[in-house]
Amino acid sequence: MASVTFDHATRCFAGMDHPAVSDLDLEIADGEFMVLVGPSGCGKSTSLRMLAGLEEVDSGSIRIGERDVTHLPPKDRDIAMVFQNYALYPHMTTAANMGFALKIARMPKPRVQQRVQEAAAILDLEEYLDRKPKSLSGGQRQRVAMGRAIVREPRVFLMDEPLSNLDAKLRVQTRTQIAVLQRRLGTTTVYVTHDQVEAMTMGDRLAVMKDGVLQQVGKPKEVFALPANTFVAGFIGSPAMNLFRLPLTADGAQLGGLAVPLTRAALNAASADGGTEITLGIRPEHLQVLSPDDLETPALDLVIDTIEDTGAVVYLHATAKLGQDLVPVDVRLPGRPTQGKGSAIRVAVRDDAVHCFSAMTGLRLAGDTGAVPADAHATGQTAPADGPSPHDMASVHPAGSPAQSTPASEEAPTV
């Protein structure tokens, strides 16, 4: 096992107007399960391929443990990679596929068989060792690909969207197996996915990327509770956080018929440099539908467009008229819906559930503590006097990142 360090690593491709990976600075602890997550084209797979030695590093360096592997070929890095498409040899049995790399390395046959048997036992593949890939299910093929990585006993596992080809039910089962397996083996793992549900449920920490730039890194519940900017706020969470760009008032902001009070620190930060607007973020679960008989409580008026009833949870996709604009709003209900499409509803929001972002930069405003779970403050949310810990403190890329330089009007509707 070993730690992994990206030290200002950069990768550029011809014809791109920005680096595929820009100045990536990331520490992954020994034995940690780190998830790189972001939309297509954000640079997560390129970062993984740089670590694997499949892509060159144009500037900066990469270390595995104390060893600089920036310019080493893949075979000398002591890593094992699991690909999205399994990459199994169709003419070989499960056992032969799992032990092929060891055979090429001229490991004695009895030792190869021992490692294959041990990995098969871990992955529950013992009864399939004599089968060829065509007679295995998608989940079984993926486990064979994982077994091929396990038998090598590498210092680092690399997984590039290994569940993308599986159906929904099998994807849930396999991601649980991968998480349990990683804890059992204790091997440092870097896992790439575009699925934020996988990122939230599997990783010890997650690193959110956009346009080749690291936006935020931290424990899943920290990134969810305190997103560093509007991009992270809109990407982590399903459905996404509702974002509203609103004019500032003396005490906060006005969201339709709902006055949203803000702390003095948030107001001062939002009005710095002459700012007159603020971007507010409210998660769907923090909007409360009021009783039709309650006409006294200040609320935001919505009209339901569609209803998603998943059985356990209901999502209302609605529209609010704010000024002259129609703004989409998502609401999560814990129980059965009593409203129908086209129904008018009124929703209220808890004061402590509002996230505040700069309307100019998209960054979280100083003094905004967000909707933080009761135990979140005990996990390193507040930087100590001598500076933040790289493992416990959610970090943000410095000024110049896409989320910081992109006008907030591209992230949230203007009211």
Side-chain angles (χ1 to χ4, degrees):
M1 295 186 295
S3 61
V4 172
T5 303
F6 289 88
D7 188 1
H8 301 285
T10 298
R11 177 61 172 142
C12 300
F13 293 116
M16 292 185 65
D17 58 359
H18 61 82
V21 177
S22 178
D23 199 33
L24 178 58
D25 201 12
L26 180 64
E27 292 271 356
I28 303 171
D30 186 4
E32 184 176 20
F33 195 129
M34 171 64 76
V35 179
L36 305 182
V37 62
S40 297
C42 72
K44 56 188 184 295
S45 289
T46 302
S47 301
L48 193 76
R49 291 172 62 84
M50 291 163 66
L51 176 55
L54 302 177
E55 292 287 353
E56 295 182 2
V57 179
D58 294 311
S59 64
S61 63
I62 297 176
R63 296 190 301 276
I64 297 178
E66 298 301 321
R67 186 186 185 201
D68 189 334
V69 300
T70 308
H71 302 295
L72 290 180
K75 65 183 180 64
D76 295 332
R77 299 194 180 202
D78 199 8
I79 54 95
M81 193 162 181
V82 179
F83 296 91
Q84 176 180 341
N85 61 356
Y86 318 139
L88 302 179
Y89 295 105
H91 64 286
M92 291 185 182
T93 64
T94 294
N97 266 289
M98 291 172 63
F100 184 71
L102 304 182
K103 179 181 177 181
I104 293 299
R106 300 185 182 279
M107 181 178 288
K109 189 173 181 179
R111 193 174 174 192
V112 172
Q113 292 175 339
Q114 179 185 357
R115 286 200 184 182
V116 169
Q117 288 290 341
E118 290 173 352
I122 291 173
L123 296 167
D124 196 23
L125 288 172
E126 293 169 296
E127 62 181 291
Y128 305 109
L129 288 177
D130 294 328
R131 293 192 188 182
K132 293 183 179 180
K134 65 181 180 181
S135 61
L136 299 175
S137 68
Q140 290 164 349
R141 293 178 191 177
Q142 191 57 270
R143 279 185 283 159
V144 174
M146 292 171 56
R148 182 176 53 193
I150 291 171
V151 298
R152 296 185 58 191
E153 298 182 358
R155 302 181 76 190
V156 182
F157 283 134
L158 309 180
M159 300 189 181
D160 189 6
E161 304 205 43
L163 308 184
S164 296
N165 290 341
L166 305 181
D167 62 61
K169 183 177 180 180
L170 194 53
R171 190 158 58 242
V172 173
Q173 293 174 347
T174 308
R175 80 180 182 216
T176 302
Q177 292 171 347
I178 291 175
V180 171
L181 178 63
Q182 194 276 337
R183 286 195 297 270
R184 178 175 177 179
L185 298 176
T187 304
T188 306
T189 301
V190 184
Y191 186 102
V192 164
T193 182
H194 65 273
D195 187 336
Q196 53 95 14
V197 175
E198 286 182 23
M200 291 291 292
T201 56
M202 295 179 69
D204 296 322
R205 288 191 302 153
L206 55 89
V208 185
M209 300 185 69
K210 177 191 178 188
D211 294 338
V213 177
L214 180 64
Q215 303 292 311
Q216 185 174 4
V217 57
K219 296 178 181 178
K221 67 178 179 180
E222 294 172 356
V223 175
F224 182 84
L226 291 173
N229 53 46
T230 51
F231 171 76
V232 178
F235 188 80
I236 299 297
S238 181
M241 181 184 290
N242 298 296
L243 295 170
F244 308 96
R245 186 169 180 174
L246 306 170
L248 288 170
T249 65
D251 298 318
Q254 190 70 29
L255 181 58
L258 187 62
V260 182
L262 302 176
T263 64
R264 182 53 52 187
L267 283 171
N268 291 340
S271 58
D273 300 324
T276 59
E277 294 181 313
I278 190 172
T279 298
L280 297 186
I282 305 173
R283 294 207 178 274
E285 59 268 26
H286 293 148
L287 290 171
Q288 177 185 2
V289 178
L290 300 178
S291 166
D293 299 327
D294 184 357
L295 301 179
E296 301 297 326
T297 302
L300 176 64
D301 293 313
L302 303 178
V303 176
I304 299 174
D305 297 322
T306 59
I307 299 175
E308 289 185 15
D309 188 348
T310 66
V313 178
V314 175
Y315 298 104
L316 305 181
H317 302 287
T319 301
K321 186 174 183 180
L322 303 179
Q324 300 300 314
D325 298 319
L326 294 178
V327 179
V329 180
D330 293 330
V331 182
R332 191 182 80 175
L333 301 180
R336 315 309 305 156
T338 58
Q339 306 85 358
K341 296 179 183 178
S343 299
I345 59 174
R346 303 175 72 246
V347 296
V349 59
R350 299 199 324 260
D351 294 343
D352 62 349
V354 177
H355 300 257
C356 301
F357 304 95
S358 167
M360 293 184 290
T361 66
L363 292 176
R364 172 175 290 278
L365 293 176
D368 176 28
T369 58
V372 186
D375 60 344
H377 291 291
T379 60
Q381 285 293 347
T382 304
D386 58 353
S389 161
H391 298 299
D392 288 334
M393 186 65 184
S395 64
V396 188
H397 197 275
S401 70
Q404 297 172 13
S405 59
T406 300
S409 59
E410 294 184 18
E411 301 287 352
T414 303
V415 177

